[in-house]
Amino acid sequence: MLVDGDTCGPEDWRLAKDAWHAYGRVNMTVFAAPEFRNIKKWAMALDKLGANFEGVPRNNVGNKDPNDLALAFAAGGFAGSGAVDGVALLAKDADFNYILRQLVKRGCRAILLVPEGWNAYARSKLADSGVGFVTYNRRLGMPMMCNLLQADGTSTWDTLEAQDDDANVDLTGVHSLLMDLGYLHGAKDQWIPAFARMCVASFVGPFAVFPGVCSALDAASLTRDIPFSTWKKDPGNLVYVRPCRSTVAMSKKLVSKFGTEGCARLALAGCAFVTEKMKPWLNVFCEFSVI
């Protein structure tokens, strides 16, 4: 199983490997720029899956993607070795269609791994080629994006590494800290906005404000690892804003991309942020969004 790391990140690897594993034992190699091996979520996913990593240096000359070349050489090598039953590609780039066709011509079983929703398109491009298809479910029903709040109050959406949806995190210490520093005042107060304001006031980040399971894991980790003296009392002038409206019409394709309709709506609406209450543009913004 050869993975194009330029187009398929850790959120796809395990799901695709599990789908392909039903057909036999899988030896998996991810191809990407060498520095990607040092990204925490990549390193964790590679180790957890027992996958190999092939660092492909980038260059500043030529117009051919080095990753495409590396994958082509590897696929050809496996096809000619006689040591494997077939070669499966996990990639979302049409450039690899030629490689798949060539594998079939050499008598090698060639498989394209595709997420649900992409299958019809992929088949149309490889009609009558002899290439097989294995479809994997990209965790439909679970968010596949997370909203990371930075220490300066801004946030970004990032692909979500697979998380256990039933993670049971003890937030007793988190709630106690928020109460002690004045960010929570009662049982009905929402702790995620309160923790987000505390992070910005204390210049701590990143903190996942969505989805909730990631928020709980991050909050527990941050309060455990960061000294109490770092956390600042509620200054009283910060507000957490979560845009919730978007003019983009919801569709099955968007739900498939983001995992859930709720995640899709939030991601399309924009990024959460923390700002000062007295910013002159805030009231105008809130007329068009929902906090």
Side-chain angles (χ1 to χ4, degrees), residues 93-105:
D93 189 337
D95 289 351
F96 295 108
N97 291 351
Y98 176 79
I99 298 174
L100 292 164
R101 291 178 182 274
Q102 291 302 309
L103 290 174
V104 173
K105 287 182 178 179

Side-chain angles (χ1 to χ4, degrees), residues 94-216:
D95 289 351
F96 295 108
N97 291 351
Y98 176 79
I99 298 174
L100 292 164
R101 291 178 182 274
Q102 291 302 309
L103 290 174
V104 173
K105 287 182 178 179
R106 294 188 183 190
C108 177
R109 184 185 183 195
I111 301 293
L112 179 62
L113 296 159
V114 291
E116 287 186 352
W118 289 57
N119 206 11
Y121 176 79
R123 287 183 185 277
S124 70
K125 295 299 181 181
L126 290 167
D128 303 319
S129 65
V131 174
F133 295 86
V134 172
T135 302
Y136 62 94
N137 187 330
R138 288 197 66 206
R139 293 169 61 86
L140 291 179
M142 296 187 67
M144 293 186 292
M145 300 285 285
C146 62
N147 195 185
L148 292 176
L149 181 75
Q150 306 301 325
D152 63 358
T154 62
S155 73
T156 56
W157 284 93
D158 193 11
T159 52
L160 176 61
E161 182 184 352
Q163 296 279 359
D164 294 329
D165 58 334
D166 59 349
N168 186 15
V169 182
D170 184 0
L171 295 175
T172 304
V174 172
H175 290 161
S176 295
L177 179 62
L178 291 170
M179 293 285 286
D180 290 344
L181 296 180
Y183 293 92
L184 283 182
H185 303 284
K188 293 184 179 181
D189 289 350
Q190 296 184 23
W191 75 268
I192 293 178
F195 198 91
R197 290 187 289 111
M198 184 175 70
C199 282
V200 174
S202 308
F203 204 72
V204 171
F207 165 60
V209 294
F210 178 89
V213 63
C214 294
S215 302

Side-chain angles (χ1 to χ4, degrees), residues 221-238:
S221 176
L222 289 170
T223 52
R224 181 184 65 247
D225 298 339
I226 294 179
F228 176 80
S229 59
T230 301
W231 301 108
K232 308 300 182 185
K233 290 185 177 181
D234 186 359
N237 66 336
L238 296 178

